[in-house]
mmCIF file of all heavy atoms in Angstrom:
data_model
loop_
_atom_site.group_PDB
_atom_site.id
_atom_site.type_symbol
_atom_site.label_atom_id
_atom_site.label_comp_id
_atom_site.label_asym_id
_atom_site.label_seq_id
_atom_site.Cartn_x
_atom_site.Cartn_y
_atom_site.Cartn_z
ATOM 1 N N HIS F 890 110.530 103.677 55.775
ATOM 2 C CA HIS F 890 109.947 104.687 56.644
ATOM 3 C C HIS F 890 109.184 105.758 55.899
ATOM 4 O O HIS F 890 109.593 106.168 54.828
ATOM 5 C CB HIS F 890 111.030 105.290 57.583
ATOM 6 C CG HIS F 890 112.106 106.154 56.855
ATOM 7 N ND1 HIS F 890 111.898 107.455 56.543
ATOM 8 C CD2 HIS F 890 113.303 105.851 56.402
ATOM 9 C CE1 HIS F 890 112.975 107.941 55.976
ATOM 10 N NE2 HIS F 890 113.844 106.982 55.840
ATOM 11 N N ASP F 892 108.243 108.715 57.259
ATOM 12 C CA ASP F 892 108.495 110.085 57.707
ATOM 13 C C ASP F 892 109.626 110.738 56.964
ATOM 14 O O ASP F 892 110.434 110.081 56.359
ATOM 15 C CB ASP F 892 108.759 110.048 59.239
ATOM 16 C CG ASP F 892 109.954 109.190 59.591
ATOM 17 O OD1 ASP F 892 110.107 108.056 59.026
ATOM 18 O OD2 ASP F 892 110.764 109.572 60.439
ATOM 19 N N ALA F 918 113.501 111.163 47.589
ATOM 20 C CA ALA F 918 114.449 110.018 47.570
ATOM 21 C C ALA F 918 114.398 109.303 48.946
ATOM 22 O O ALA F 918 114.404 108.119 49.016
ATOM 23 C CB ALA F 918 115.857 110.462 47.253
ATOM 24 N N ASP F 919 114.442 110.099 49.989
ATOM 25 C CA ASP F 919 114.530 109.561 51.387
ATOM 26 C C ASP F 919 113.187 109.748 52.072
ATOM 27 O O ASP F 919 112.986 110.733 52.766
ATOM 28 C CB ASP F 919 115.670 110.311 52.124
ATOM 29 C CG ASP F 919 115.932 109.730 53.479
ATOM 30 O OD1 ASP F 919 115.402 108.664 53.789
ATOM 31 O OD2 ASP F 919 116.677 110.383 54.242
ATOM 32 N N MET F 920 112.266 108.766 52.048
ATOM 33 C CA MET F 920 112.472 107.583 51.165
ATOM 34 C C MET F 920 111.183 107.259 50.507
ATOM 35 O O MET F 920 110.752 106.122 50.440
ATOM 36 C CB MET F 920 113.135 106.436 51.862
ATOM 37 C CG MET F 920 112.332 105.863 53.051
ATOM 38 S SD MET F 920 113.114 104.303 53.640
ATOM 39 C CE MET F 920 112.473 103.081 52.509
ATOM 40 N N GLU F 952 111.667 106.948 61.646
ATOM 41 C CA GLU F 952 113.063 106.609 61.421
ATOM 42 C C GLU F 952 114.007 107.836 61.538
ATOM 43 O O GLU F 952 115.120 107.750 62.087
ATOM 44 C CB GLU F 952 113.254 105.972 60.036
ATOM 45 C CG GLU F 952 114.642 105.305 59.816
ATOM 46 C CD GLU F 952 115.701 106.237 59.248
ATOM 47 O OE1 GLU F 952 115.337 107.386 58.840
ATOM 48 O OE2 GLU F 952 116.879 105.853 59.227
ATOM 49 N N GLU F 953 113.521 108.950 61.056
ATOM 50 C CA GLU F 953 114.425 110.111 61.020
ATOM 51 C C GLU F 953 114.754 110.681 62.387
ATOM 52 O O GLU F 953 115.610 111.558 62.542
ATOM 53 C CB GLU F 953 113.784 111.220 60.135
ATOM 54 C CG GLU F 953 113.661 110.842 58.650
ATOM 55 C CD GLU F 953 114.984 110.764 57.914
ATOM 56 O OE1 GLU F 953 116.046 110.952 58.522
ATOM 57 O OE2 GLU F 953 114.958 110.483 56.730
ATOM 58 N N GLU F 977 115.952 102.278 51.430
ATOM 59 C CA GLU F 977 116.505 103.636 51.573
ATOM 60 C C GLU F 977 117.104 103.986 50.180
ATOM 61 O O GLU F 977 117.339 103.099 49.353
ATOM 62 C CB GLU F 977 117.639 103.665 52.633
ATOM 63 C CG GLU F 977 117.114 103.563 54.060
ATOM 64 C CD GLU F 977 116.609 104.863 54.661
ATOM 65 O OE1 GLU F 977 116.591 105.895 53.919
ATOM 66 O OE2 GLU F 977 116.225 104.856 55.842
ATOM 67 N N PRO F 978 117.281 105.292 49.943
ATOM 68 C CA PRO F 978 117.747 105.661 48.566
ATOM 69 C C PRO F 978 119.026 105.020 48.111
ATOM 70 O O PRO F 978 119.980 104.832 48.950
ATOM 71 C CB PRO F 978 117.923 107.160 48.650
ATOM 72 C CG PRO F 978 117.842 107.543 50.101
ATOM 73 C CD PRO F 978 117.118 106.427 50.781
ATOM 74 N N CYS F 1134 123.116 106.408 59.348
ATOM 75 C CA CYS F 1134 122.504 105.234 59.992
ATOM 76 C C CYS F 1134 121.118 105.004 59.418
ATOM 77 O O CYS F 1134 120.497 105.831 58.873
ATOM 78 C CB CYS F 1134 122.395 105.529 61.509
ATOM 79 S SG CYS F 1134 123.928 105.898 62.328
ATOM 80 N N ALA F 1135 120.649 103.743 59.591
ATOM 81 C CA ALA F 1135 119.307 103.379 59.129
ATOM 82 C C ALA F 1135 118.795 102.156 59.903
ATOM 83 O O ALA F 1135 119.543 101.512 60.664
ATOM 84 C CB ALA F 1135 119.273 103.081 57.636
ATOM 85 N N HIS F 1159 117.689 115.322 52.774
ATOM 86 C CA HIS F 1159 117.573 116.281 53.865
ATOM 87 C C HIS F 1159 117.884 117.725 53.435
ATOM 88 O O HIS F 1159 118.128 118.578 54.276
ATOM 89 C CB HIS F 1159 118.464 115.907 55.043
ATOM 90 C CG HIS F 1159 118.117 114.530 55.662
ATOM 91 N ND1 HIS F 1159 118.612 114.168 56.895
ATOM 92 C CD2 HIS F 1159 117.398 113.549 55.227
ATOM 93 C CE1 HIS F 1159 118.170 112.907 57.151
ATOM 94 N NE2 HIS F 1159 117.433 112.508 56.089
HETATM 95 ZN ZN1 ZN I 1258 115.812 107.485 55.161
#
Side-chain angles (χ1 to χ4, degrees):
H890 66 85
D892 57 319
D919 185 12
M920 61 172 276
E952 192 270 352
E953 296 289 2
E977 287 280 2
C1134 301
H1159 299 196

